Amino acid sequence: MKQIKEILQNKLFTLEKLKPKVEKSLKKAPETEATLIISSSHGSPQYYLRNKEHTKQYISKNNLKFIAPLAQKEYDQALQKEIIKQEKQIKKTLI
């Protein structure tokens, strides 16, 4: 039982260290409510932005500099949700 508690405490410590890094990355992310859609056509990726109204806007290869930060933002948002979820579960278990 002591080993499990120690493992959970280490995991919680790791999550608490990661959380501010993700928050910092999200502050640097582009401020848009649109989501990135990636599809494949003839083996080549195509990138679109989907807004609130669910309309898609194509992003040309000339704007690839915009795609990476947007993809990172979406990844960081998902990671932040998972960190919060795991923290709650571990704290609940340790009590």
Side-chain angles (χ1 to χ4, degrees):
M1 184 67 175
K2 188 175 183 180
Q3 286 180 334
I4 294 173
K5 187 175 181 179
E6 195 173 300
I7 291 169
L8 290 174
Q9 287 173 334
N10 287 338
K11 178 69 174 182
L12 185 60
F13 178 74
T14 302
L15 292 171
E16 288 172 348
K17 281 179 55 178
L18 183 59
K19 196 173 185 178
K21 292 177 184 178
V22 172
E23 289 171 356
K24 182 179 179 183
S25 179
L26 283 170
K27 286 181 183 176
K28 293 180 182 178
E31 293 193 25
T32 179
E33 293 185 20
T35 57
L36 181 66
I37 306 296
I38 303 171
S39 64
S40 181
S41 177
H42 304 290
S44 297
Q46 292 184 334
Y47 304 97
Y48 297 89
L49 282 180
R50 183 175 11 195
N51 61 17
K52 288 182 183 180
E53 293 81 30
H54 299 286
T55 58
K56 292 194 299 187
Q57 176 185 356
Y58 176 74
I59 303 173
S60 71
K61 290 183 179 182
N62 297 335
N63 293 331
L64 287 178
K65 292 178 184 177
F66 181 70
I67 295 169
L70 190 57
Q72 184 66 46
K73 176 184 176 180
E74 291 185 16
Y75 174 81
D76 288 342
Q77 288 172 333
L79 181 59
Q80 186 179 44
K81 285 181 186 178
E82 186 63 29
I83 289 171
I84 292 168
K85 177 182 165 187
Q86 287 187 18
E87 279 182 333
K88 285 180 183 178
Q89 290 173 339
I90 291 172
K91 288 177 182 178
K92 188 176 178 181
T93 304
L94 289 175
I95 293 177

